[in-house]
Amino acid sequence: MINLLLRIYLVLLLCFLNTGFSSAAPLDMGAMFPEVPLPAPYTADQRAYLGLADDKPFTLRQVSGQVTLVEMLNVHCPHCRKQTKPYNDLYRMIEADPETRGRIKMFGVAVANDDEAIEDFTYIYNV
């Protein structure tokens, strides 16, 4: 049951990520995500979860999991706020299953948001 729900969430996530980006050139099927430096998470616990040693910018290659799910969001977006519960549920399912725990990592990238808004969002929605 958990594997089926995980597959459904992954398919929905991929469908969501493939919509609305008409101004950017899409990646080819099977292409690697570009090596874009990302700011390190705020807390040591979040960095440890991703397998990052310090608070310096990182790339997806440095994340310790075999699969990394990245959610692009804006903390003021009502749809992004509604998605926090399903993503939190997915996180709990991944961490509860010994076959996926440590192998699948998840994190969000807040686009065009300031640090205070991001901190409020993570606190309010427990992400």
Side-chain angles (χ1 to χ4, degrees):
M1 179 68 172
I2 289 178
N3 285 333
L4 176 61
L5 289 174
L6 180 60
R7 288 183 184 144
I8 291 170
Y9 275 123
L10 292 175
V11 168
L12 291 173
L13 177 66
L14 290 173
C15 290
F16 172 78
L17 289 176
N18 286 327
T19 61
F21 296 102
S22 59
S23 63
L27 296 174
D28 290 331
M29 171 103 52
M32 294 296 288
F33 192 83
E35 288 296 308
V36 178
L38 300 166
Y42 294 126
T43 70
D45 287 345
Q46 293 167 342
R47 292 189 299 272
Y49 165 74
L50 296 176
L52 304 174
D54 54 39
D55 61 354
K56 293 183 172 77
F58 71 100
T59 63
L60 291 180
R61 286 185 195 264
Q62 293 171 274
V63 175
S64 63
Q66 294 174 341
V67 174
T68 305
L69 303 175
V70 182
E71 169 67 6
M72 306 297 279
L73 64 115
N74 184 291
V75 299
H76 303 294
C77 165
H79 302 289
C80 298
R81 290 176 178 196
K82 285 182 183 178
Q83 289 175 180
T84 58
K85 183 181 178 340
Y87 286 136
N88 282 341
D89 292 345
L90 176 59
Y91 169 80
R92 283 190 285 279
M93 288 183 347
I94 290 169
E95 292 298 300
D97 187 336
E99 292 183 33
T100 57
R101 184 183 328 114
R103 295 175 65 197
I104 301 174
K105 300 293 181 167
M106 298 175 63
F107 71 91
V109 176
V111 179
N113 296 122
D114 61 36
D115 290 347
E116 184 178 350
I118 295 169
E119 288 178 31
D120 289 347
F121 182 85
T122 58
Y123 177 77
I124 292 166
Y125 295 100
N126 194 31
V127 294

